[in-house]
Amino acid sequence: RDNNNNNGDNDYNASVENTEHPGDIATNASATMTWNIKNNGNKSFGDNCKLAFVSGDGLLVSQYHIPNAKPNEVVKISMSFNAFSTPGTYETNFRLCANGKQFGPQLIVKINVIDPNKLMPNPSIHPIGTQQPQQSSQKPLQPQQRQQQQPPPQHQPYGAPPVQHSNNPPSYWGPQPPPQQQQQQQPPP
């Protein structure tokens, strides 16, 4: 006699062939758990076969589907549910139930619910590549001051003569004011 059969006969019985688990689930997210179940009984599951709650945390099941498995047939039973709103590990146990009789092994749904904000930065707060520069209390640069900024260093091709660096911008930037005028245009500290 099979220990998974509590109804006193072999009309209804089942075993789990394998399980497809959704993995870690974000708080309040929807997920689906799937079992491949073999009908080990003498009767088909029937159209009214259900999942009966046995014990656990009372997972909020939104829907499930149990095909009418014939004896020795393996069917896929899927159950959709919503994760809890508080992070943690939860377990809820179900069994198949036909004609008011529970049968087969307990179908265990053990989930790890996690806070999605701890997985990665919130895209609406830290969008990649679109961060705004911090505001500065200094006045914006005047066109003459932009001309005086040094360009970023240029990499020279192999074999080119070394670049001579000086404090004066290159001549192609246009005429430069004398150093005294540069100091007068600086904003006060």
Side-chain angles (χ1 to χ4, degrees):
R1 179 171 171 185
D2 190 324
N3 291 334
N4 291 330
N5 187 354
N6 293 337
N7 58 6
D9 57 40
N10 287 328
D11 285 347
Y12 297 105
N13 201 0
S15 61
V16 176
E17 297 289 308
N18 60 44
T19 304
E20 296 172 29
H21 193 278
D24 290 346
I25 305 167
T27 54
N28 298 313
S30 297
T32 301
M33 183 88 175
T34 304
W35 298 269
N36 287 320
I37 302 287
K38 181 177 182 181
N39 182 347
N40 293 330
N42 297 324
K43 289 188 173 182
S44 295
F45 288 172
D47 293 329
N48 294 321
C49 188
K50 301 188 181 318
L51 283 178
F53 173 81
V54 175
S55 64
D57 296 308
L59 188 67
L60 181 60
V61 176
S62 54
Q63 68 179 18
Y64 61 85
H65 175 69
I66 302 174
N68 183 9
K70 295 177 179 73
N72 295 314
E73 183 180 9
V74 176
V75 293
K76 185 176 279 197
I77 296 177
S78 58
M79 178 180 65
S80 298
F81 58 91
N82 294 321
F84 293 94
S85 60
T86 303
T89 301
Y90 299 92
E91 183 175 315
T92 305
N93 303 311
F94 300 90
R95 287 186 76 201
L96 294 169
C97 181
N99 296 325
K101 297 178 181 179
Q102 292 184 13
F103 66 95
Q106 289 191 19
L107 304 177
I108 301 168
V109 181
K110 187 171 184 176
I111 56 172
N112 187 30
V113 178
I114 51 178
D115 181 350
N117 295 324
K118 293 185 179 175
L119 289 178
M120 59 186 213
N122 185 336
S124 64
I125 296 173
H126 303 287
I128 296 173
T130 60
Q131 291 181 349
Q132 296 296 321
Q134 293 181 349
Q135 296 296 324
S136 172
S137 60
Q138 295 180 350
K139 294 179 182 177
L141 293 174
Q142 300 301 318
Q144 296 86 5
Q145 289 174 315
R146 278 196 199 116
Q147 290 178 354
Q148 295 170 11
Q149 292 178 348
Q150 294 292 325
Q154 299 287 325
H155 293 286
Q156 295 297 317
Y158 182 74
V163 175
Q164 297 290 328
H165 293 285
S166 71
N167 290 335
N168 295 326
S171 60
Y172 57 82
W173 281 13
Q176 302 298 311
Q180 299 89 346
Q181 289 179 349
Q182 288 177 351
Q183 292 174 353
Q184 291 173 357
Q185 291 178 0
Q186 301 262 338

